[in-house]
Amino acid sequence: MSAAPQPPRAAQLTIRQTTVTDPLARPLLDELTHEYTTRYGRPVDLDQEYPATEFAPPRGAFLLLLQDGAPVAGGAYRRYAPDTAELKRIWTHHAHRRRGLARRVLAALEEHAAGRGYTRLYLTTGPRQPEAKHLYLAAGYRPLFDLTADPESIGPLPFEKHLEIPRP
């Protein structure tokens, strides 16, 4: 008599705070670089854009969303102003899209930044990234641009969101 087949185990998702130089982050950042280069038709070098220290504690953070220990999404923030963190490099691996993972990363970044005392988040996304624009709108970010304008006429699309500081 054989045992009944077991249902598939649910994937274990965890958030890990790390650094942009962590080898575990490299595949996601390389894919993000390729995506930006492809969408905008010019080379992008994320390593040159901001030094890794911009995304390090205590003023910043880099978070990875891991599925069973493998990176599937991630994002970072850095200090933009004394009360404002700027979100950067929010990305989901192409094989794991349309599962709400970017929203999970966004929520983790919001919670982490609020825990560090930031009361406002700021970000920009590119005009050729409609899925990012829709993510931020759905997550309660306020556009700092005219939503009816052609995104290509605006350039980077800025958003903001005010945070509640957790009380001890």
Side-chain angles (χ1 to χ4, degrees), residues 1 46 95:
M1 184 162 155
L46 294 177

Side-chain angles (χ1 to χ4, degrees), residues 33-46:
T33 298
H34 175 74
E35 182 76 15
Y36 285 166
T37 299
T38 302
R39 284 195 191 205
Y40 295 100
R42 60 181 166 72
V44 173
D45 187 347
L46 294 177

Side-chain angles (χ1 to χ4, degrees), residues 97-109:
R97 293 191 181 145
R98 311 223 29 99
R99 295 176 42 203
L101 301 179
R103 183 64 189 105
R104 281 182 89 147
V105 169
L106 192 57
L109 290 166

Side-chain angles (χ1 to χ4, degrees), residues 50 55 76-80 84-88 122-124:
Y50 299 102
F55 305 108
Y77 69 83
R78 68 187 197 103
R79 183 176 191 250
Y80 186 74
T84 303
E86 180 182 21
L87 300 182
K88 303 294 286 179
Y122 173 80
L123 66 88
T124 60

Side-chain angles (χ1 to χ4, degrees), residues 1-6:
M1 184 162 155
S2 64
Q6 296 294 315

